Amino acid sequence: MRKLIYGFGVSLDGYVNDSAGSINWTDPDEELHQFHNDRFGGLEVSLHGRRLYELMAEYWPSVPETAPPIEREFGALWTEKPKVVFSRTLTEVGWNSTLVSENAVEEVRRLKAAGDGVMEVGGASLAASLMPHGLIDEYQLFVSPIVLGGGTPMFPPLTERIGLRLAETRRFETAVLLRYLTD
């Protein structure tokens, strides 16, 4: 069974973007960017919600030649990595992506059962739809030293608690990784 990770840059007050939908406050240092490159490179599949897919597709497929090598590396990783995009409004996706417009929970269950590697879920709304069903095995919070005061929360309101245990902490120059495993 594949392991599913939900990892995101998050503000100290728990938001993955600001009230305007921007993530321009997340500026990873080189060590953290390389960590993300290595982590992303080791995934079998990346699951994207529509908004995250559109945000990523704006930049990563066409990283300028003048961009730092670490960004060009991630751009190549992102375009080549198999992705599943969950959206009821998109009609097509590119860059090695598959579009799923129905029942994200059942599709993620099927994807988890179809291998034994690691997948990640990107997008707070998509992750929120999976949490109540116990489909996320690990949470990786990259906490940035900023208070946004509003935006999209990393965690939705839940009717049941999700028990976690701390597996790792790691300090980067621009964020702290808190890695939790589900009980």
Side-chain angles (χ1 to χ4, degrees), residues 91-148:
T91 57
E92 62 182 20
V93 292
W95 304 289
N96 204 18
S97 301
T98 302
L99 180 61
V100 174
S101 58
E102 300 294 326
N103 204 332
V105 170
E106 288 307 313
E107 180 64 15
V108 171
R109 281 189 178 125
R110 188 191 69 70
L111 288 165
K112 284 186 73 159
D116 60 2
V118 179
M119 317 187 288
E120 74 164 1
V121 55
S125 296
L126 178 57
S129 74
L130 305 176
M131 282 181 207
H133 300 280
L135 293 171
I136 299 173
D137 304 296
E138 182 174 317
Y139 293 84
Q140 295 180 358
L141 288 73
F142 296 88
V143 183
S144 291
I146 189 168
V147 175
L148 297 174

Side-chain angles (χ1 to χ4, degrees), residues 6-18 23 25-27 32 36 124 139-148 151-155 174-178 180:
Y6 175 36
F8 233 114
V10 62
S11 66
L12 189 60
D13 55 344
Y15 296 101
V16 297
N17 59 26
D18 66 19
I23 61 168
W25 51 272
T26 60
D27 188 16
L32 178 54
H36 285 305
Y139 293 84
Q140 295 180 358
L141 288 73
F142 296 88
V143 183
S144 291
I146 189 168
V147 175
L148 297 174
T152 302
M154 182 163 181
F155 296 98
T174 55
V176 173
L177 165 62
L178 301 173
Y180 292 94

Side-chain angles (χ1 to χ4, degrees), residues 33 36-37 40-41 56 60 63 69-79 120:
H33 208 308
H36 285 305
N37 287 12
F40 195 80
M56 301 291 276
W60 294 113
V63 177
I70 203 160
E71 287 187 22
R72 293 194 313 271
E73 177 187 341
F74 188 80
L77 288 167
W78 188 84
T79 55
E120 74 164 1

